[in-house]
């Protein structure tokens, strides 16, 4: 046959094949927000980058009780719509809807984090287990570090107001407070260590972007060449490995009888590594990964809450009264924090109102999954819940678009509602920490830590925004929800302040 004819036949057959494949793929039977066509969907994917909130809300309103899909540059994500669907999603077992596979796909963890941690994420059981069980013992150190880090972040100007760019300041406070109980003094205050930890989120993001645009066949090759995370891990290891080695040596020296071992994440990771026949390297990687999951989410969350306080200084008085009362009764610590219902409610409302992501409860279909309404989600598809739309749904919350700081503490006044409305309690209507078996295991620590930061600020400072005093709007980058990153909060040391 004429070679030209073969080329023409192939050119004609290729789009036909694509069309047939699309017709047979159940993914394309799920309604799309934006364009579904092969080329125009890229335009919608770009639009999603700047208009994710509106697109997710559009899908949620149109397809509530079912599902819709939104385009990313390299794939479609199916979004379940409404509280009942969130509940359905979280109930699927891991061999049908996998959290680990979804996280791997979203972050390309095997290439952008560390292969070892991807294959053995041992920080997860350690955070869920001994780290969380020992929170009461950890909190005095967290409080001490918060006080010290806040002193360093907010210049002392006597009784004058001083403006501080809040997000980077809060990020450093959270980084120091978390690492005080991840690895301890003096490293948690070491500027080089802090810079590596804080830069790591960007290192992973750069690698992830490259992997997103790399064709599947080339991923193993390109993945191995990505420099950023590997360099960060090398620098992190140079600082951390000697301390981890020492922890291993101490365990060998004391054996199981080591009664007064340091209470921190490093110790429990070492214990876990030894119990599972692993060496110090995996502990180093697990420490960096723990920072990756903890610091960014917590810094964003505490900044969101701080912005509500600065925009509405009248919220401070009832919080102060409650915090001072609890400290008078118990001294500072986990017991006092657990009695601060208004503060707990304030933080929970901030998570509901803002959150860190418009999509939560992320899973990957490992097999073809048929939902209760008959929709088939083909194997390999990423699925998530429309978190922001759920949280702003009037059926779930009265006056959902109003920031109502004490709505949850008011609900807790009813004896039967005590547990349901706490900061850490997830539900189909409340998914900032995900929901179900894989709900964030760090949320118990995060709750105590973030409340410690806000309590410290409320007790020691008056806070406000300059100008018209309004809270700067949040910024969305695709589904990520960020507070304004450059806004200044003005602080004035209170005369009656304790520290
Ligand atoms: C306010 C701060 C935080 C927010 C908003 C947050 C949010 C989340 C979310 C949405 C998930 C996925 C859950 C799902 O899809 O069902 C998650 C998972 C996780 N988070 Fe957090 N997180 C926070 C703080 C922390 C902290 C402080 C730690 C560690 C101390 C941590 C450790 C983890 C880990 C290890 C996972 C993976 C869980 C698994 O694989 O089962 N997080 N987090």
């Amino acid at each position: 046959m004429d070679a030209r004819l073969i080329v023409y036949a192939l050119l004609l057959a290729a789009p036909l094949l694509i069309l047939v494949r699309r017709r047979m793929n159940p993914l394309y039977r799920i309604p799309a927000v934006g364009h579904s066509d092969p080329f125009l969907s890229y335009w919608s994917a770009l639009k999603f980058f700047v208009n994710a909130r509106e697109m997710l809300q559009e899908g949620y309103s149109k397809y509530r009780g079912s599902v819709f899909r939104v385009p990313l540059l390299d794939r479609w994500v199916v979004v379940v719509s409404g509280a009942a669907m969130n509940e359905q999603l979280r109930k699927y077992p891991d061999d049908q809807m996998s959290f680990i596979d979804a996280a791997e796909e979203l972050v390309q963890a095997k290439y952008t984090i560390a292969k070892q941690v991807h294959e053995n994420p041992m920080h997860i059981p350690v955070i869920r287990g001994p780290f969380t069980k020992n929170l009461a013992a950890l909190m005095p150190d967290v409080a001490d570090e918060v006080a010290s880090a806040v002193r360093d972040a907010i210049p002392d100007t006597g009784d004058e107001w001083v403006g501080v760019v809040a997000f980077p300041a809060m990020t450093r406070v959270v980084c120091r407070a978390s690492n005080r109980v991840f690895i301890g003094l003096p490293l948690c205050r070491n500027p080089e260590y802090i810079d590596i930890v804080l830069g790591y989120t960007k290192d992973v993001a750069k690698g992830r972007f490259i992997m997103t645009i790399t064709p599947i066949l080339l991923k193993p090759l390109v993945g191995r060449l990505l420099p950023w995370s590997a360099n960060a891990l090398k620098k992190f290891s140079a600082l951390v490995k000697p301390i981890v080695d020492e922890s291993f040596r101490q365990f060998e020296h004391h054996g199981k009888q080591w009664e007064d071992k340091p209470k921190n994440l490093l110790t429990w990771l070492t214990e876990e590594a030894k119990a599972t026949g692993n060496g110090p390297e995996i502990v180093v990687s697990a420490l960096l990964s723990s920072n990756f999951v903890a610091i960014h989410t917590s810094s964003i969350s505490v900044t969101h809450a701080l912005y509500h306080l600065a925009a509405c200084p009248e919220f401070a008085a009832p919080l102060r009264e409650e915090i001072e009362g609890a400290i008078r009764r118990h001294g500072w610590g986990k017991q006092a924090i657990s009695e601060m219902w208004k503060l707990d409610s304030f933080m929970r409302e901030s998570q509901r109102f803002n959150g860190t992501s418009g999509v939560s409860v992320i899973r990957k279909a490992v097999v073809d999954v048929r939902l209760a309404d008959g929709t088939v989600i083909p194997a390999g598809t990423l699925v998530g819940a429309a978190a922001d739309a759920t949280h702003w749904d009037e059926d779930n919350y009265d006056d959902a678009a109003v920031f109502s700081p004490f709505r949850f503490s008011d609900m807790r006044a009813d004896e039967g509602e005590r547990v349901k409305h706490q900061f850490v309690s997830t539900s189909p209507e409340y998914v900032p920490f995900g929901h179900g078996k894989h709900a964030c295991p760090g949320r118990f620590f995060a709750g105590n830590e973030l409340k410690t930061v806000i309590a410290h600020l409320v007790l020691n400072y008056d806070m406000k925004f300059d100008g018209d005093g309004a809270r700067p709007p949040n910024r969305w980058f695709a589904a990520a929800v960020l507070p304004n990153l450059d806004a200044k909060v003005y602080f004035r040391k209170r005369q009656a302040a304790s520290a």
Side-chain angles (χ1 to χ4, degrees):
M1 203 196 289
D2 184 340
R4 262 186 312 170
L5 266 181
I6 296 177
V7 173
Y8 289 147
L10 283 176
L11 282 177
L12 200 69
L16 271 176
L17 258 175
I18 292 173
L19 271 179
V20 171
R21 273 195 63 195
R22 280 172 65 98
R23 287 216 158 242
M24 308 216 1
N25 187 343
L27 180 64
Y28 293 96
R29 270 174 239 140
I30 296 173
V33 173
H35 296 282
S36 180
D37 327 49
F39 293 108
L40 284 175
S41 64
Y42 284 105
W43 171 246
S44 294
L46 292 176
K47 211 171 137 212
F48 187 75
F49 199 77
V50 280
N51 280 341
R53 188 176 199 198
E54 292 71 19
M55 288 171 76
L56 288 166
Q57 187 59 55
E58 182 189 330
Y60 187 88
S61 307
K62 275 193 191 157
Y63 307 109
R64 203 158 173 280
S66 186
V67 293
F68 60 97
R69 64 194 154 102
V70 289
L72 304 186
L73 277 178
D74 58 341
R75 66 168 57 80
W76 291 95
V77 173
V78 169
V79 183
V80 306
S81 206
M85 296 299 290
N86 297 350
E87 185 63 4
Q88 202 183 129
L89 177 60
R90 72 103 182 168
K91 279 188 172 158
Y92 284 104
D94 289 347
D95 58 5
Q96 293 185 36
M97 290 279 195
S98 161
F99 171 77
I100 296 288
D101 288 9
E104 155 57 24
E105 183 128 352
L106 275 177
V107 188
Q108 298 280 314
K110 175 159 70 208
Y111 306 116
T112 58
I113 300 202
K115 198 159 176 266
Q116 224 178 359
V117 172
H118 165 68
E119 281 161 7
N120 182 4
M122 68 168 195
H123 59 294
I124 298 175
V126 172
I127 289 169
R128 187 172 286 128
F131 185 71
T132 298
K133 288 196 182 99
N134 283 285
L135 275 185
L138 301 179
M139 289 322 291
D141 277 353
V142 170
D144 183 60
E145 198 58 34
V146 166
S148 161
V150 167
R151 256 196 314 274
D152 291 346
I154 304 175
D156 187 349
T157 52
D159 55 4
E160 296 290 309
W161 287 98
V162 57
V164 174
V165 182
F167 181 68
M170 287 302 109
T171 304
R172 287 186 106 74
V173 170
V174 164
C175 184
R176 274 178 56 176
S178 307
N179 277 284
R180 176 74 179 262
V181 290
F182 285 2
I183 195 156
L185 284 166
L187 210 50
C188 68
R189 294 184 187 174
N190 178 323
E192 195 189 345
Y193 177 86
I194 294 175
D195 285 346
I196 297 168
V197 164
L198 298 186
Y200 189 60
T201 311
K202 281 188 206 133
D203 296 328
V204 172
K206 280 185 265 184
R208 198 221 153 227
F209 176 72
I210 299 291
M211 295 312 288
T212 303
I213 55 173
T214 302
I216 289 177
L217 281 177
L218 293 178
K219 279 187 199 270
L221 179 70
V222 175
R224 234 171 283 137
L225 300 174
L226 295 177
W228 304 286
S229 307
N231 286 345
L233 179 60
K234 215 181 283 168
K235 285 194 227 156
F236 184 80
S237 184
L239 294 173
V240 170
K241 175 95 177 348
I243 300 171
V244 176
D245 286 341
E246 179 56 25
S247 178
F248 270 74
R249 268 195 297 278
Q250 290 295 332
F251 266 104
E252 262 136 49
H253 176 68
H254 293 281
K256 288 215 161 99
Q257 315 310 322
W258 193 11
E259 295 284 331
D260 52 353
K261 59 189 172 214
K263 280 192 160 60
N264 60 28
L265 187 62
L266 159 67
T267 301
W268 295 310
L269 285 171
T270 306
E271 225 167 9
E272 175 75 9
K274 286 185 74 64
T276 51
N278 284 290
E281 288 75 18
I282 195 165
V283 174
V284 173
S285 298
L287 277 166
L288 189 53
S289 290
S290 302
N291 270 287
F292 177 70
V293 288
I295 307 300
H296 199 56
T297 45
S298 302
S299 314
I300 290 171
S301 301
V302 82
T303 308
H304 278 312
L306 171 60
Y307 283 1
H308 284 295
L309 265 179
C312 299
E314 67 273 19
F315 295 154
L319 289 174
R320 255 173 216 146
E321 193 189 329
E322 177 187 74
I323 296 164
E324 281 166 354
I327 294 175
R328 249 195 325 272
R329 286 191 297 281
H330 302 287
W332 183 260
K334 192 165 171 279
Q335 178 62 32
I337 297 175
S338 71
E339 288 187 11
M340 297 173 191
W341 286 16
K342 285 193 171 133
L343 179 58
D344 189 90
S345 173
F346 184 86
M347 301 305 291
R348 182 173 170 92
E349 175 70 346
S350 178
Q351 294 296 91
R352 177 194 75 82
F353 195 81
N354 307 289
T356 54
S357 175
V359 180
S360 174
V361 199
I362 296 285
R363 302 288 183 266
K364 182 174 172 180
V366 186
V367 291
D368 288 358
V369 173
R370 185 179 289 276
L371 301 177
D373 70 353
T375 307
V376 174
I377 300 185
T381 309
L382 283 182
V383 189
D388 177 73
T390 300
H391 295 151
W392 282 57
D393 186 334
E394 286 286 329
D395 281 356
N396 298 333
Y397 298 95
D398 294 339
D399 294 327
V402 176
F403 182 84
S404 174
F406 307 126
R407 73 164 75 224
F408 294 112
S409 44
D410 290 347
M411 290 180 191
R412 284 176 75 182
D414 185 340
E415 188 85 46
E417 303 281 308
R418 293 270 146 98
V419 178
K420 235 163 75 183
H421 306 294
Q422 291 182 48
F423 180 77
V424 292
S425 300
T426 67
S427 74
E429 297 83 20
Y430 186 79
V431 291
F433 293 109
H435 185 40
K437 189 172 154 198
H438 292 287
C440 173
R443 66 191 190 281
F444 302 92
F445 172 71
N448 279 280
E449 180 188 48
L450 301 191
K451 281 185 257 176
T452 301
V453 175
I454 294 295
H456 183 84
L457 292 174
V458 164
L459 289 184
N460 290 284
Y461 297 92
D462 293 318
M463 289 159 271
K464 66 172 186 179
F465 283 116
D466 213 8
D468 66 0
R471 188 187 196 281
N474 293 337
R475 291 176 177 172
W476 283 58
F477 292 97
V481 189
L482 298 175
N484 182 303
L485 302 182
D486 314 308
K488 273 188 178 173
V489 169
Y490 284 77
F491 296 89
R492 184 177 60 188
K493 189 104 177 138
R494 291 180 67 227
Q495 292 315 305
S498 53

